[in-house]
Amino acid sequence: MHAVSSTYNGPLEEKRIIQLVSHLRSELAVEPSIGLSFAWAGYTKSDLNCFEELSDILTIYGHLKELILIASSGIVGQGIENEGQASFSLMLLHHAALKVQGIPIDTHLIDSLEIVDNWKSIVSFDPSEIKGFILFSEPNFPIERFLKYLNQAYPNIPAWGGIPNGKENEPCIYYNRKPIAGCLLVPLAGDIQLDVIVSQACRPIGEPYMITNAEQNILYTLGRKTAYQALAKAFDSLSEKERLAVQGHLFIGLAVSEYLEEFKQGDFIIRNILGADPSTGAIAIGALARIGQTVQYQLRDPVSATLSLQKVLEEEKLKAAARKVAPYAVLQAICTGRGKNLFGPSANVDAKSVQDYFPGIPQAGFFANGEIGPSWGMNFLHGYSTSIAFLS
């Protein structure tokens, strides 16, 4: 098991790119099984075909049979977060037992995948071989419905990835030199281990409520209160300092499980509050509401985000120690609502935290408009989170 990673900064220059990928390949010392590159979407300002050209260079000089390239607004390197900067990160992986299959998924396929047996026609690996999925989706792809069917077909198998925050109307997902529309699903099979952890930036405030009246994405009543009254009560529970800084930091969480006696940070799927009407008591949210579902309002908080990340990384470190198998590579998707938007100019908090717990581990990733990872054994599209995949 081998992995190497590096970060390239500045304009795309063929000679420098060749030097970087050639150095990485020599450092790997064996032929790579797969390469993953995450690039700043702004490179297309000077050349619309730059990512096809970059893919060609990486494939040829990296001796790559498989290459995934993702274009987004920011990239992750080894302890580094570059937001809105001309840069790309590259990871080369070698694992003799690793088997990879890149599968483009078009929107018209979605309905057929509700039937579990239909997955056999697109995924060539036996389900018992699959240890995890890497998954990238365009913004207009119905990713939450796709994840629902994926969970049904492959229960308890983790997925990592997200929705790249690329440039509108430009491809953001490339596989083996070609742009992919819709979604790219990459099953990972063989004698490998994929562990995916998710850390959220939001913590619950106020009380959890059951939805008692809702239509589509409009909440009318939560328990015996209007949705607006419940929001006001949650706001009142905040400290004076928190109330002053709350604008733009309030969200709603939909409980992953209805069977918990107590709900805490990480037990919710975070979604935006889109609007509120005090006259009717209604709240519009960025999700379809279901009567009987438990929800709780959430506050985005840098301190809670940092503590949550440290907690899940510590748990992952202890798990690796107990197995006596250290991870050899890490992939990270970070919400665009984190980074400088949450932590300020200090930046690098999410990426550097990984290095604090796993010093020197090869690392690459991207900033996303939705992060994919498991919670309570099922894969979800998360918001304001960082999803981290460990390969071992």
Side-chain angles (χ1 to χ4, degrees):
M1 302 177 187
H2 304 275
V4 290
S5 67
S6 187
T7 302
Y8 175 102
N9 294 294
L12 295 178
E13 299 173 359
E14 184 173 346
K15 184 177 179 180
R16 289 180 57 214
I17 298 168
I18 291 172
Q19 288 175 341
L20 179 141
V21 69
S22 298
H23 174 75
L24 276 185
R25 186 169 56 80
S26 64
E27 190 180 351
L28 190 66
V30 290
E31 292 293 278
S33 306
I34 187 172
L36 297 105
S37 183
F38 303 92
W40 176 54
Y43 277 129
T44 58
K45 290 178 183 177
S46 56
D47 182 0
L48 286 174
N49 299 316
C50 64
F51 293 129
E52 287 94 332
E53 295 164 3
L54 176 59
S55 294
D56 285 344
I57 297 170
L58 297 180
T59 299
I60 293 168
Y61 291 92
H63 294 187
L64 295 172
K65 296 178 181 177
E66 306 281 343
L67 173 66
I68 299 168
L69 188 148
I70 300 300
S72 198
S73 63
I75 67 101
V76 177
Q78 195 168 2
I80 297 168
E81 298 169 22
N82 285 345
E83 298 179 69
Q85 298 178 41
S87 61
F88 72 82
S89 59
L90 175 65
M91 177 179 286
L92 303 182
L93 293 167
H94 168 82
H95 193 316
L98 176 63
K99 293 188 283 187
V100 176
Q101 178 191 9
I103 308 168
I105 306 289
D106 195 79
T107 304
H108 76 271
L109 281 176
I110 297 290
D111 290 337
S112 68
L113 297 178
E114 186 174 8
I115 301 170
V116 171
D117 283 348
N118 288 344
W119 284 85
K120 296 176 184 176
S121 65
I122 63 168
V123 180
S124 61
F125 301 136
D126 186 275
S128 63
E129 291 185 283
I130 299 174
K131 303 301 172 62
F133 296 97
I134 293 176
L135 178 57
F136 303 104
S137 162
E138 289 190 318
N140 58 355
F141 183 82
I143 186 62
E144 292 189 85
R145 189 150 51 100
F146 180 73
L147 287 171
K148 176 183 176 182
Y149 300 153
L150 184 71
N151 289 329
Q152 292 171 358
Y154 301 96
N156 299 309
I157 297 180
W160 172 86
I163 301 174
N165 182 31
K167 296 181 71 176
E168 191 174 357
N169 300 321
E170 291 185 11
C172 58
I173 304 167
Y174 295 80
Y175 178 65
N176 289 347
R177 312 187 192 190
K178 296 179 180 178
I180 301 297
C183 167
L184 177 67
L185 176 70
V186 185
L188 304 178
D191 185 20
I192 62 165
Q193 181 80 32
L194 182 73
D195 286 322
V196 184
I197 59 175
V198 176
S199 176
Q200 296 181 343
C202 297
R203 62 176 174 86
I205 59 172
E207 303 172 15
Y209 294 93
M210 180 183 292
I211 299 174
T212 47
N213 188 12
E215 184 177 343
Q216 297 294 318
N217 70 322
I218 308 297
L219 302 178
Y220 292 106
T221 58
L222 304 178
R224 295 182 178 181
K225 300 181 183 296
T226 67
Y228 189 86
Q229 287 171 336
L231 177 60
K233 187 174 181 182
F235 179 82
D236 289 341
S237 71
L238 299 175
S239 67
E240 185 175 347
K241 182 179 178 181
E242 288 171 331
R243 291 180 196 176
L244 292 173
V246 80
Q247 188 172 1
H249 293 266
L250 274 180
F251 303 89
I252 193 163
L254 287 71
V256 174
S257 173
E258 305 296 332
Y259 302 104
L260 299 174
E261 292 185 7
E262 182 180 352
F263 294 95
K264 60 185 185 302
Q265 187 175 15
D267 293 336
F268 298 90
I269 305 301
I270 308 301
R271 293 294 181 261
N272 288 321
I273 296 174
L274 304 178
D277 185 351
S279 63
T280 64
I283 299 282
I285 64 173
L288 294 178
R290 175 172 53 81
I291 292 175
Q293 189 171 20
T294 299
V295 297
Q296 189 167 358
Y297 291 108
Q298 309 278 322
L299 178 67
R300 186 173 58 169
D301 171 13
V303 174
S304 297
T306 302
L307 293 175
S308 170
L309 181 56
Q310 291 172 347
K311 179 176 181 290
V312 294
L313 286 170
E314 179 66 28
E315 290 171 350
E316 186 64 27
K317 186 175 181 179
L318 292 173
K319 188 190 299 183
R323 283 202 308 250
K324 298 181 180 180
V325 179
Y328 65 93
V330 62
L331 298 168
Q332 186 168 23
I334 302 175
C335 180
T336 54
R338 295 173 70 102
K340 293 178 181 178
N341 285 320
L342 181 63
F343 298 110
S346 60
N348 297 332
V349 170
D350 288 323
K352 186 176 180 299
S353 293
V354 173
Q355 293 297 318
D356 290 342
Y357 284 85
F358 297 88
I361 191 169
Q363 180 180 4
F366 69 110
F367 277 78
N369 271 348
E371 307 74 55
I372 292 169
S375 184
W376 293 90
M378 295 180 291
N379 296 301
F380 293 97
L381 180 70
H382 298 270
Y384 304 97
S385 71
T386 179
S387 179
I388 309 170
F390 293 90
L391 281 156
S392 55

